[in-house]
Amino acid sequence: EDQVTQSPEALRLQEGESSSLNCSYTVSGLRGLFWYRQDPGKGPEFLFTLYSAGEEKEKERLKATLTKKESFLHITAPKPEDSATYLCAVHTSGTYKYIFGTGTRLKVLA
Amino acid sequence: EAGVVQSPRYKIIEKKQPVAFWCNPISGHNTLYWYRQNLGQGPELLIRYENEEAVDDSQLPKDRFSAERLKGVDSTLKIQPAELGDSAVYLCASSQNRDSLYGYTFGSGTRLTVV
């Protein structure tokens, strides 16, 4: 069964304290892995797409990486405005499903 | 560009009452999705449209949920009758096609509370 698991569920960081969020997946075939940011009361906002193991994408303080079993979202020197829920989703090639994880709630303290 | 527009933003109804949600996707986006998001969970797909055709409705509870996308543009999701367990945020999203490199564009959602 296709499955996406994110960890940790919640993370509190001090401003400037770098860390990583994890997205583990088990799918029959991967068309792509997506990272989204979701602010309270809003829909998810697209951040990155990764297609193959070894691929990396960067945007400001965020860098996403992909292996054959998991993806990491690295946050370097975070700021309070980076506080949000970060969701990953996998697009499967076998069933052509788009499956979201449950997200990591990030809180960055000033 | 306005993005994906949903209405209403909030809805409170009594159980057994009907409710409808409306979505206007980004112009030119052929693929439209309805998702349900429970508190603390990721979105779960209810139905996917390619133009006006529902190509994946396997997770839609068809006994009480229905959806339509007339003319391949706007879409409406209906629940009749609503149950307490239907309380959630209903998100609409669109993309140029199902293989969009840029993910999906989501609306802000409709928060449904069934009392």
Side-chain angles (χ1 to χ4, degrees), chain A:
Chain A
E1 181 183 348
D2 298 327
Q3 201 166 0
V4 178
T5 304
Q6 290 189 247
S7 62
E9 287 187 10
L11 183 62
R12 291 166 69 93
L13 299 173
Q14 291 294 321
E15 185 173 4
E17 180 186 2
S18 302
S19 188
S20 296
L21 313 182
N22 177 263
C23 173
S24 299
Y25 61 92
T26 305
V27 296
S28 52
L30 182 71
R31 295 186 70 89
L33 185 142
F34 300 79
W35 281 98
Y36 288 84
R37 169 190 172 129
Q38 187 172 25
D39 292 297
K42 295 190 176 182
E45 178 184 353
F46 170 76
L47 292 173
F48 303 109
T49 308
L50 301 166
Y51 288 104
S52 57
E55 189 175 359
E56 297 183 353
K57 294 276 180 72
E58 286 190 64
K59 179 179 180 179
E60 296 181 356
R61 294 177 293 281
L62 301 177
K63 182 169 82 172
T65 61
L66 181 65
T67 72
K68 289 186 177 180
K69 294 183 178 180
E70 58 191 350
S71 176
F72 291 94
L73 184 65
H74 307 278
I75 304 177
T76 302
K79 299 181 177 181
E81 52 261 43
D82 294 323
S83 298
T85 295
Y86 291 86
L87 295 161
C88 76
V90 296
H91 196 183
T92 68
S93 57
T95 55
Y96 231 101
K97 297 290 186 183
Y98 202 90
I99 305 169
F100 279 89
T102 54
T104 293
R105 296 189 310 278
L106 175 66
K107 178 74 172 177
V108 182
L109 305 172

